[in-house]
Amino acid sequence: MIIFSVLAVFGLAFLAPPLCRLTKEKSGWWLAILPLALTVYFLSLLPGLARGQIQSISYLWSQELGLTFAFRADGLSLAFALLISGIGALVAVYAGGYFGTKVPIGRFYLWLFFFMASMLGVVFADHLILLFIFWELTSLSSFMLIGFEHDREEARAAAIQALLVTGSGGLVMLAGFVLLGQVGQTWELSTLFLRGEGVRASPLYLAIVILILIGAFTKSAQFPFHFWLPNAMQAPTPVSTYLHAATMVKAGVYLLARLSPVLGGSPIWLWAVGGIGAVTMVLGGVLALSQTDMKRLLAYSTISALGSLVMAIGIGSETALKAMVLFLLAHGLYKGTLFLVTGSVDHECGTRDVRELGGLGRLMPYTALGSTLAALSMAGVPLFFGFLAKEYLYEASYKAGALWLILAVLGALLNVWIALRVGIAPFWLAGSKEAELPKKPHEAPWSMTVGPLILGGLSLGLGAYPQILSSVLVSPALSAMAGKAVEVKLKAWHGINDILLLSLLTLGLGVVAFAIRNDLQRIAEQWTVPWGLDTLYRRSIDGLFRLASFQTRLLQHGYLRYYLITIVVAVVGITAGGLIRWGGGALPHLSLDLRFYELGIAIIIVLAGGMAILSRSRLGAVAALGVAGYGVASIYLLFGAPDLAMTQFLIESLTVILFVLAFYHLPNFAQLTPRRERLRDVIIAIVTGCLMTIFVFVASGIQIHPSISQFFVENALPLAHGRNIVNVILVDFRGLDTLGEITVLAIAGLGVFALLKLRIDQRSARAGKTTQTGRKGGDQ
Amino acid sequence: MTSLILRTMVRLLLPLLLLFSVFLLLRGHNEPGGGFVGGLMAATGFALFSIAFGSSTARRILQIDPLVLIGVGLLLALSSGLMTLLLEQPFLTGVWYKLSLGALGKLELGTPLFFDIGVYLTVWGVTLTIIFALEEVG
Amino acid sequence: MNRYLILPILIPLLTAVLCLLLFRKPKLQRWIGVSGAGVLLVVALWLLLLVRNQGIQAVQIGNWPAPFGITLVADLFSAILIVLAGVLGLAVAVYSLESVDSQRQSFGYYPLMHFLLMGVCGAFLTGDLFNLYVWFEVMLMASFVLLALGGERGQMEGAIKYVTLNLLSSAIFLAALGLLYGLAGTLNMADLARKFASSASAPSNAIVTALSMLFLGAFGIKAAIFPLFFWLPASYHTPPVAVTALFSGLLTKVGVYSLIRVFTLIFIQDLDYTHTLLLVIAGLTMITGVLGAVAQNEMRRLLSFHIISQIGYPLMGLGIFTAWGLAAAVYFIFHVSLAKSTLFLISGVVGRLRGTFDLKKLGGLYKGQGWLATLFLVAALSLAGLPPSSGFFAKLSLVQAGLVQGQFAIVAVSLGVSLLTLFSMIKIWNEAFWKQTSELKEESEGEISLQKDWSWLAPILFLVAVILLISFGIGPVFQIAAQAGQQLMSPQLYIQAVLGGGR
Amino acid sequence: MEIVLPVVIGSLYAMAIYMLLRRSLVKLLIGLGLLSHASNLLIFTAAGLTRSKAPVIPLAADQLRPPHADPLPQALILTAIVISFGVTAFALALAYRAYRSVNTDDLDQMKTTDA
């Protein structure tokens, strides 16, 4: 069933475009049916889960690669799956109202559901590589969704940035997964859980942790990779809500939680995961101080919240993990609401600048209600879900050490501030310049208020009655992370204690901070460093382009002779390297048997070659080349190869004829290269020549094995019925060579014919369908 | 180029060279020679002829398009191998027949001979194609 | 059955010869050309099944026993590549129907294409090194003519570099062959392997290793490895796109095939030197190629540089030198040829729609051409190695192979390069598909429809379908690749198939 | 001759490489011609020289008695010669055509197709 839930959503994705054409403006409602049904289905699994029934299924995919379609739905998976399908359904409805019918909404839903399916795949996969596959698919769909309004350059740039950051993290993580699979002897997560001990003892443990953390951190926007998330706010608001607040950015958190039984529990884990999480938590809040755009404010608060989640996993105590699960759900609910509200406000007022907005409570009552509930939860007001989550987070940090607690309070404080600024102020504080809003605001359509209301309501309801979650969801999720059965009891009210006082103090300080928001903003703006990580990213992209074009100009410069020099030097180099390793060995015995006419021919060949080089006229050079060829033919004749000699003589004559025919049209030589270059070329040529000379000495002197030729000599007459053994080899023993060879000739003939006769008529080709041919080269 | 002497010489030379080329082809299996040399020799004859009389005259004398000559040559070489494939032998296996020519002795005919003729025709055709094409661009 | 091993060579030859005989009837040639390619694909699949079920197959041409005659050998690696040639041949033959102009078609386009396929198949099948040289020449000569056919200035300039550098490669190959024959007295690859293995002594090993470097140079030029690749970016974008697609899928692959063949079978005397060198070259090839691609703004040039970069990956598998690494290399070659040819074919459609290949001038294709965008996305992401595409599995298996052997550096390079590959694919997507453009509106031909332009789109659909098949069918597909890898690592199987057991 | 020929081959290679490195297209072609002479002679020499009779079985005899030249490299060279003839012819046509479209013999002027 789980596997079908994933597949069904993929199916829905591909069906979305035609369905949208069918259902027109109502498509959001129709398309939400499946995710809603899945939510109900996932809820129906919870009672069984509480009894310890875990659904799992596995099909073999590739034996050799060790791939299986293994899916498993335990508490942790279902906690995430509920967020994915539940919020997904609401976002689908919301998007219908948000976009209307102006945009190609079918494509939007295609990628939205593609994302939903991939995300479900991530949380249900019980196999590291399968998880990775879905993980990358979420990156891809995120790319398509951030760039949905692709006519805008900023949207495209943000999409590319998000993909490159998460993609590079993913690649690093893949290496980590492969290593983990090698150390743990399996990629199946449920089996890996049992081998945590062995993995942690392995020498590769540190490498594995670092590689996997980089992947998780890029995805979940942890410092120092956080910068892509605020930029990703170029996405339409439903996308920001769904991917960049509620679900996708939590994939990294999910992965860390999932692997904590295997990798967690070591000091490295505590300091790397907890430390980075804490830094991110505070940094996200601080960076938000200077922002005035609602979405960017929320984005930074999301970074901060993701930091808290990661920190909790790093601390890793039972309380910390409990806090993580609660915070995860609470954050999904309130942040989802606030993003949707932001979208509605933007939609109705035409701006998202918190300085311009105000007094919307009367004009958009339902939106305001949802927003207020969510903001209170985010601020951690008692009886709200967010309060509960914060309580546990404080408790866990308190137990872990004073430093953690201070950081946790600081992070929470900043989030109170953001909650007030985004969720409360625009609605309930008087707007300074209400009349100047780009649009006259009124309440958003029903499809856009249902989401905030439901999610806001849940923020209150689950906070007031957390008991309904404790045994069915939180306990199983915790058990999954702890690797053993854990029983959890949740209460909305813990009585008055230190932690509660700390919470109240946080709230109070947050309100104070809000009161002096303008001063804070000024200070924060002064802090802003001129070069952030975002700038670094841009610089490195620029640098990459510069390096690339520098390298290409260096290598692919267009001068044929330098290509030739490079190749000759490279080949001579590696070959000489090999010869030097050989070191001379047993030098062959040299015979000094030499006859004067042979020497004469040799000298003629070399002299003719020299003539060909030095000759100032084309015809002289060709004639010299021909003489050299005749010389070679004479050598064949002297050493028992009449067939060769005959062929060489004929071919040489024909070649000279061809040269003459062609050269008739070609220009005379000109001395084009300066002396220094010629000297360099001479050196290269001589070195190459020496190498070949040595090689021929060696090969003609050393014979590791005798030749196979005796077979031909013995069998030519009796079996192949021929006395000219060379000819018999050509037409019989090695007839296939000859077949290939006459084919080469045939092609050459065809080629010369076509090359000289065919002239593509440029105009008719251009006017016709062919615009294929090299324009740049062809036009001049 | 088109001196009278050359023309007269070539007119005499062409049949001789053609004859000699066939001779080279046929004796190739037993003595130096063979399809390559034969084909080249035949082509040289026509090359000289076409230099003397122009390629259009040479084409007219030849009657057959050299491109088709290439195709025929390849097909002949190919089919001498294909035959054996039909006889359930590997490609290009030599098959020989002995013909008795009475007093002249006996003649051995084999698929390699057909193969060599294919080579001859291809080489001839290719060389002519190249030479005609080079001549005709001028 | 073995005697039919010759068919992948004969069918293209026969097709080409028929086309030559019908030289004045280009219309007829088109259909002969397409059917010939179809038959080749069928035969290739048959061959793959045969080898998969019955192990390595060999046939002695002319019925002369090895090592004296020429042996054709089909192991799984060869058979897989022949299937690749069949698939690409058919796709390109159909794509050429309309996209290659009638002037080129009436000057021998189809016979040349089949001569090329013949050379490629011959190179994949032959078990004899000199015969390999001959097939190389067949393939090269056909590619020379295809590249230059049309005679436009750009083509001429590209062709001169292409021809010169490839002739240099042939000369090196020929010299290496002569020296090898002088040393070992034989040219049959299995015989060479056996003789070198039996006479393993330090000095002879060393001289053989030195000689192997000449082969590395010769095959390396054809494979377009660093620093021997210059001919490729200079020329590949100049002929019609159909030709480029065929070249990109097959030509460099023949070079890689030959490298893998000789460096698993014959030259395994000094792994420390040869295979370490191969790894270094692999890394440098990947990096320089991908950086070249990043610098480009012309779609076909960008794709051409990727060919180079992607050649590094199979070399990496060879350098790792385990059955796993070679299996990954085999799978990679198959995958990358498909992906790259598909991308070139798509670039042809883009060029037709917009009249340019310049990314700066292109735009708006996502809005107008949703289907084309989808097809591009599949092929591009496959090339970039995004899961669950074939490219991902290829990369995954290579990374696994590398990490098992502790080759961390090359794994890191390969992952970094695949990020840059993604980057440049995204660049095409961004510029050609997402960006809106006001230019060139009037030159564009508007919609492209499957009914009207099936010969343009059907081959792309076909290739994308094959990509999806080898992606989702990774189980059985990689099983074959793994067997191929094992065969490559067990030269005795090859030697026995060729030399053992008589005829 | 075993000493002289390797030197001849080396010189041919050196001269060929030098010619390939010129800027003139025509010189490049001559370089390619020299390269093929060098390669062919290399095969011939590396296989071992025999100053003796051709590998042809005399009409009167049933078999060839040593010493005789090795027939296999001869067959290989023959193939190589013919192939290089085809290649040379094509290269000539290419050079002619390139000269016609670029209007120069200078290879340095032919670099518009590179990056």
Side-chain angles (χ1 to χ4, degrees), chain C residues 121-157:
Chain C
C121 289
F124 290 151
L125 277 177
T126 187
D128 185 285
L129 269 182
F130 189 81
N131 195 234
L132 181 66
Y133 167 79
V134 173
W135 296 128
F136 263 37
E137 294 300 305
V138 171
M139 174 185 94
L140 271 184
M141 199 66 228
S143 69
F144 290 166
V145 184
L146 279 173
L147 189 64
L149 191 64
E152 293 173 12
R153 176 178 172 158
Q155 284 186 293
M156 291 301 103
E157 294 187 13

Side-chain angles (χ1 to χ4, degrees), chain B residues 114-128:
Chain B
F114 284 99
F115 188 83
D116 220 9
I117 298 173
V119 173
Y120 173 91
L121 290 179
T122 313
V123 173
W124 190 21
V126 168
T127 315
L128 282 185

Side-chain angles (χ1 to χ4, degrees), chain A residues 220-488:
Chain A
S220 282
Q222 298 294 295
F223 175 83
F225 309 112
H226 59 276
F227 57 91
W228 69 266
L229 188 58
N231 293 338
M233 294 301 127
Q234 291 291 341
T237 302
V239 173
S240 311
T241 311
Y242 192 37
L243 275 69
H244 306 123
T247 56
M248 186 186 85
V249 288
K250 295 204 176 114
V253 175
Y254 169 78
L255 183 73
L256 295 179
R258 185 46 90 200
L259 289 178
S260 61
V262 187
L263 299 176
S266 65
I268 302 165
W269 184 262
L270 173 66
W271 290 107
V273 179
I276 294 283
V279 169
T280 310
M281 174 175 70
V282 175
L283 185 76
V286 170
L287 288 176
L289 287 175
S290 62
Q291 303 296 326
T292 55
D293 177 41
M294 282 171 86
K295 273 181 90 173
R296 285 182 80 87
L297 273 164
L298 288 176
Y300 281 111
S301 104
T302 304
I303 291 175
S304 168
L306 292 167
S308 326
L309 292 169
V310 170
M311 182 181 86
I313 294 172
I315 293 174
S317 64
E318 201 178 304
T319 324
L321 294 179
K322 204 186 318 178
M324 198 285 283
V325 175
L326 291 173
F327 198 90
L328 172 83
L329 296 172
H331 177 258
L333 295 177
Y334 73 66
K335 193 56 66 63
T337 317
L338 288 175
F339 263 109
L340 292 181
V341 165
T342 302
S344 302
V345 168
D346 189 15
H347 200 256
E348 301 304 326
C349 306
T351 180
R352 301 189 302 239
D353 192 324
V354 283
R355 288 169 304 187
E356 295 174 18
L357 294 165
L360 295 173
R362 277 176 302 110
L363 302 167
M364 308 172 71
Y366 296 113
T367 307
L369 176 60
S371 173
T372 308
L373 291 173
L376 292 177
S377 176
M378 177 170 170
V381 173
L383 291 185
F384 281 87
F385 203 6
F387 168 73
L388 197 64
K390 194 164 64 182
E391 292 278 276
Y392 281 109
L393 192 64
Y394 279 4
E395 193 186 329
S397 324
Y398 180 67
K399 283 183 193 160
L403 182 62
W404 300 109
L405 185 61
I406 294 168
L407 290 174
V409 171
L410 196 55
L413 173 65
L414 289 163
N415 271 296
V416 174
W417 182 85
I418 298 173
L420 291 172
R421 191 127 213 225
V422 177
I424 305 284
F427 298 95
W428 307 120
L429 290 191
S432 49
K433 301 171 258 180
E434 191 190 329
E436 289 175 29
L437 287 178
K439 277 178 167 179
K440 184 87 186 100
H442 54 77
E443 184 57 281
W446 181 223
S447 56
M448 292 171 70
T449 51
V450 60
L453 284 175
I454 290 179
L455 294 177
L458 281 174
S459 292
L460 178 59
L462 290 177
Y465 296 100
Q467 294 86 339
I468 52 173
L469 283 182
S470 52
S471 66
V472 292
L473 189 58
V474 179
S475 305
L478 219 56
S479 312
M481 279 187 282
K484 57 178 193 284
V486 178
E487 201 51 44
V488 183

Side-chain angles (χ1 to χ4, degrees), chain C residues 160-171:
Chain C
I160 283 178
K161 284 161 196 155
Y162 180 93
V163 169
T164 311
L165 298 182
N166 274 294
L167 287 184
L168 182 64
S169 151
S170 298

Side-chain angles (χ1 to χ4, degrees), chain A residues 132-144:
Chain A
F132 180 80
I133 290 174
F134 288 119
W135 176 286
E136 294 288 83
L137 288 180
T138 63
S139 294
L140 172 66
S141 33
S142 158
F143 168 75
M144 297 301 292

Side-chain angles (χ1 to χ4, degrees), chain D residues 37-48:
Chain D
H37 288 331
S39 305
N40 294 336
L41 207 52
L42 179 143
I43 300 178
F44 196 68
T45 312

